[in-house]
Amino acid sequence: MKYAYEFIEDSFGDLRLFLPEEISLFSDFIENIATEEQMDEYIGYINNVLEGVYEDFEIELNATSIFIEKDVTIVENNFRIEEPYKNTIETEQLIELLLVWKEKIHKIFKG
């Protein structure tokens, strides 16, 4: 994993993913993925881009959307008041972060 990460429980008891500033908006996207099934679906879309099945792919969630290309993925949050509104990460690194989140939610929900 190229990027450091940390799990933090906020004041409401919700699990948060803390990422470095240059990719911090990806936590907004990742934290909205609540189930392993949803995670598997998104990882499948990303793998389809990496394998050339799709040239690119976009996933839109509540406040964020990601635009996946083979080399890089861009996250955008249209509801932020202050910059940054976009972050970029290597697509392979995004998969690694998603797998880290998937493992964490698995442990929480499956014990």
Side-chain angles (χ1 to χ4, degrees), residues 10 13 20 24 33 49 54 60 63 66 72 80 91 97 100 103:
D10 67 15
S24 61
I33 303 171
V49 172
Y54 305 143
E60 294 184 25
I66 62 169
V72 297
R80 285 184 58 100
T91 301
L97 282 173
V100 164
E103 181 179 325

Side-chain angles (χ1 to χ4, degrees), residues 49-52 55-56 68-73 90-92:
V49 172
L50 292 173
E51 295 166 5
E55 184 175 329
D56 53 47
I68 306 156
E69 295 180 317
K70 188 171 187 162
D71 296 326
V72 297
T73 297
E90 302 87 347
T91 301
E92 293 280 350

Side-chain angles (χ1 to χ4, degrees), residues 8-48:
I8 300 171
E9 190 173 307
D10 67 15
S11 59
F12 299 106
D14 294 328
L15 182 65
R16 304 295 315 261
L17 176 62
F18 183 77
L19 297 171
E21 184 63 33
E22 68 267 19
I23 62 166
S24 61
L25 294 181
F26 281 94
S27 64
D28 296 340
F29 176 80
I30 293 169
E31 290 170 0
N32 275 301
I33 303 171
T35 67
E36 291 181 68
E37 292 78 16
Q38 186 180 21
M39 181 68 68
D40 290 340
E41 178 183 350
Y42 293 167
I43 289 172
Y45 295 141
I46 296 168
N47 282 330
N48 281 337

